[in-house]
Amino acid sequence: KEGNPIEGAEAVDGSGRMAATAMVKAACPSASTSCRAPSAPVTVTARRPSGGRRKAHRHLVQHTTVQGLSSPLGAARRHAVGPRATVFASTSDVQEPSKKVTSLAESMKAVFAGWADLVTTALSKLSAKRVIFALAAKFQLWNVPLLPFLSTGRHLIGLVNSLATLGAISKKTASTFEGLFHNYRNAVVGQTEGVDDKRVVHIMKQILRCVFKEFVDPYEFPSYHERILEPYNYYDFGQEYVSCMTDFENSYIGHVDRFEEVQQKLRAGENVILLANHQSEADPGVWALMLERRFPELAENVVYVAGDRVVSDPLCKPFSMGRNLLCVHSKKYMDEDPKTKPDKMKQNRMTLSKMQKMLSAGGTLLWIAPSGGRDRPDDSGKWLPADFDEATVALMYKLGSKAKSKTNFYPFAMWSYAIMPPPPKVVVELGEERIINFSGVGVSLAEALDIDGITEGLPEDDRDAVAKAITEKTWEEMNKEYVLLDRAISERVGTSWEAKGYVTPGRSASYVLPVRNAASEAGERPADDAWYAW
């Protein structure tokens, strides 16, 4: 029958004999008289003609050859009526495969099935995102300047949204970038000479390049990260971004003489730890902008103790890569994911070990915010420095005391919230909205802490009392400087406070950067240094 197996072809009785006669009769009734069931087990196969499809039943019968084995010696009798198809009856013994062969066959089958599943899964998951990432990683596309026709904000935002649609970057990041572009442009264009739409697009191209690179080839921050200056200079990138937001005519450095004192101590091999309040993501840039004209060593060589968010947020990471960082996990976010808490605590221990070695080596400038995060406004909307954590201050004091080199502690005030204010409340999720303003900023140093005087009369073994006394005094001195900075910027005092030690950073258009020569490197004041014109 067309398309059906020959009846009886797989009928095997309990003794292993096949019903050959029934099979042969079904295939070719006219040949059945010359065939009988053999005395030994047989194998029966049907071979289809080599060409064309088989005919109807009567044609199949007319063109069938049957070979039956009737003698013990295997002599065959044939009934041949045509060459089209042949049914064989053979006395070959049926060999059951061994267990070893069966096991090997099953293993090979499993291997081939696994590879098939792997290939199928890979093909089914093939996406534009994977293709883009593969090409970008292969050719390092982030090193290629963005095309010249991307000359407006509309072009950049369109490109970012297209990347988000393809899955190359997250939609959250695309939305945050779009908000950043508009906020940044509205804040800085026209505020300072040379800051126009073209400059903003140039800066945003750099941000997009850096962010895209982090999605394709993310940088993992070690416990201690040294700023990256080549092949791409992340430090200059961050400085350009922050400088456009800064009103230098209404920015102030408090007590320049104390900064010079810090520089001399560092050159002498002593350590300096700045115990500071923290107000915005731009704080490292503000520090450097205020000091890089006169104190480039302080501006560039400071090491920031950085929380995990500044090394994980896609828009924040590129700016962090241009700074020297000791990476820790803040207490505020330590318990976000209980599964990762042990790893976070392990990294904190590694960071502390590195910090201890740096302090013992000497000449280290550390910047740390004992509050554990940025300052927030109170219920009335007034920005005040957050309280310092006693455990953090006590830890810094302990590390400094154990160091082989002398360690000095300075309360340090930052005023910078206006240019990039954080959300009013702590936001756990990454990708916060960036609010940008053009504003003055300020930094100020209090006098170095007299630890012996602060702890005088306290039992040496009462660590809690010692930590509390040092913390309260540190915050108090920092806050005094913060209040003065707040007043200077709010009242736009300009040069009228120079007698009090508050000066502008000298970043006006007419200011000429002093030439750094051997004398200045040695700590002497060059005779032609305009910085000391006050």
Side-chain angles (χ1 to χ4, degrees):
K1 295 180 180 180
E2 178 69 12
N4 292 324
I6 298 175
E7 183 181 356
E10 296 186 8
V12 182
D13 60 21
S15 62
R17 294 179 177 272
M18 300 184 66
T21 302
M23 180 278 298
V24 172
K25 289 180 67 177
C28 185
S30 62
S32 62
T33 56
S34 62
C35 298
R36 71 171 184 266
S39 58
V42 298
T43 299
V44 181
T45 61
R47 186 173 67 234
R48 182 175 177 174
S50 58
R53 60 177 298 175
R54 286 180 292 178
K55 305 294 184 179
H57 175 66
R58 70 176 184 276
H59 298 293
L60 174 64
V61 172
Q62 292 174 358
H63 301 288
T64 300
T65 299
V66 179
Q67 179 176 330
L69 303 181
S70 57
S71 69
L73 298 178
R77 295 181 182 179
R78 295 174 58 99
H79 178 80
V81 292
R84 287 307 197 96
T86 304
V87 178
F88 294 95
S90 171
T91 55
S92 301
D93 292 337
V94 179
Q95 299 291 332
E96 293 292 336
S98 67
K99 292 182 178 181
K100 184 176 181 180
V101 173
T102 301
S103 176
L104 179 60
E106 292 296 328
S107 299
M108 293 177 66
K109 179 181 178 181
V111 169
F112 286 124
W115 277 105
D117 290 341
L118 181 62
V119 173
T120 302
T121 302
L123 292 174
S124 65
K125 291 185 177 181
L126 187 63
S127 62
K129 175 181 178 180
R130 290 175 177 268
V131 173
I132 292 174
F133 280 18
L135 291 175
K138 176 68 175 178
F139 299 105
Q140 296 189 348
L141 296 182
W142 53 85
N143 289 328
V144 179
L146 292 178
L147 298 178
F149 63 77
L150 295 175
S151 57
T152 68
R154 183 168 56 86
H155 294 158
L156 279 179
I157 293 171
L159 174 61
V160 170
N161 289 333
S162 297
L163 292 174
T165 300
L166 293 173
I169 63 175
S170 68
K171 292 183 178 180
K172 176 76 173 178
T173 299
S175 175
T176 304
F177 179 87
E178 182 174 355
L180 173 65
F181 174 84
H182 290 302
N183 291 339
Y184 190 82
R185 180 197 174 280
N186 294 337
V188 306
V189 170
Q191 296 288 353
T192 305
E193 183 180 355
V195 180
D196 53 14
D197 283 317
K198 183 177 180 181
R199 179 83 174 275
V200 170
V201 170
H202 165 74
I203 292 173
M204 290 296 148
K205 278 185 178 182
Q206 300 306 306
I207 295 177
L208 179 58
R209 166 208 175 278
C210 294
V211 171
F212 180 66
K213 186 265 180 189
E214 287 309 304
F215 273 96
V216 176
D217 183 26
Y219 177 78
E220 296 294 333
F221 285 83
S223 294
Y224 174 59
H225 162 79
E226 293 187 75
R227 64 193 183 124
I228 300 175
L229 303 180
E230 56 183 25
Y232 182 78
N233 194 318
Y234 284 92
Y235 174 83
D236 288 346
F237 155 72
Q239 291 305 99
E240 182 180 21
Y241 172 80
V242 178
S243 67
C244 293
M245 301 185 289
T246 304
D247 181 1
F248 290 102
E249 294 182 358
N250 191 35
S251 297
Y252 304 93
I253 305 170
H255 307 292
V256 177
D257 57 319
R258 294 172 185 169
F259 285 95
E260 188 160 348
E261 177 184 289
V262 166
Q263 182 170 267
Q264 295 300 327
K265 288 182 177 180
L266 292 170
R267 288 175 175 175
E270 298 181 16
N271 301 309
V272 172
I273 296 180
L274 304 175
L275 301 168
N277 69 310
H278 178 29
Q279 293 213 314
S280 79
E281 291 178 330
D283 281 356
V286 170
W287 162 273
L289 285 172
M290 294 296 100
L291 302 179
E292 65 184 0
R293 288 291 172 126
R294 181 61 185 93
F295 305 107
E297 295 173 44
L298 302 185
E300 299 177 18
N301 296 334
V302 61
V303 180
Y304 302 92
V305 180
D308 50 348
R309 296 177 70 82
V310 301
V311 299
S312 56
D313 188 299
L315 280 178
C316 199
K317 284 181 67 176
F319 296 97
S320 300
M321 292 166 69
R323 314 293 171 179
N324 302 312
L325 304 179
L326 283 165
C327 303
V328 298
H329 295 275
S330 173
K331 289 182 178 180
K332 289 185 177 181
Y333 310 106
M334 182 66 74
D335 296 320
E336 282 182 11
D337 184 359
K339 295 181 180 179
T340 61
K341 184 175 181 178
D343 292 335
K344 292 179 180 179
M345 295 179 68
K346 180 180 179 180
Q347 182 175 5
N348 281 0
R349 289 192 294 269
M350 294 174 61
T351 301
L352 291 177
S353 176
K354 177 62 178 178
M355 190 184 301
Q356 184 69 74
K357 293 178 181 179
M358 294 173 67
L359 292 174
S360 292
T364 297
L365 175 61
L366 289 183
W367 185 103
I368 185 171
S371 62
R374 289 167 290 180
D375 301 335
R376 310 281 172 166
D378 60 16
D379 294 337
S380 66
K382 185 175 180 61
W383 292 78
L384 297 172
D387 292 335
F388 285 175
D389 177 58
E390 291 182 11
T392 301
V393 174
L395 176 61
M396 291 297 102
Y397 173 64
K398 179 181 178 180
L399 292 173
S401 301
K402 292 175 60 178
K404 297 178 181 179
S405 301
K406 182 180 178 180
T407 301
N408 306 276
F409 299 89
Y410 283 81
F412 175 66
M414 293 283 307
W415 197 103
S416 61
Y417 73 84
I419 59 174
M420 287 188 70
K425 302 295 181 182
V426 175
V427 178
V428 175
E429 183 182 3
L430 297 177
E432 66 186 51
E433 181 184 8
R434 267 66 178 189
I435 305 299
I436 309 296
N437 297 297
F438 181 78
S439 171
V441 294
V443 297
S444 185
L445 269 180
E447 292 184 354
L449 292 176
D450 179 6
I451 300 296
D452 293 337
I454 296 172
T455 59
E456 185 178 1
L458 296 175
E460 294 183 2
D461 58 348
D462 191 347
R463 296 182 180 179
D464 292 340
V466 170
K468 182 179 180 180
I470 297 176
T471 302
E472 290 179 351
K473 183 64 174 178
T474 302
W475 188 91
E476 178 184 339
E477 295 301 317
M478 175 276 302
N479 190 57
K480 288 180 181 179
E481 297 302 325
Y482 178 83
V483 170
L484 289 172
L485 284 175
D486 184 63
R487 181 182 168 189
I489 294 171
S490 300
E491 298 179 7
R492 301 186 69 90
V493 298
T495 59
S496 64
W497 277 26
E498 288 183 1
K500 297 181 180 181
Y502 288 80
V503 300
T504 58
R507 294 297 297 264
S508 63
S510 60
Y511 180 81
V512 178
L513 178 64
V515 177
R516 298 183 65 196
N517 51 32
S520 63
E521 289 291 348
E524 302 175 9
R525 298 181 181 181
D528 60 345
D529 192 341
W531 178 266
Y532 290 94
W534 335 304

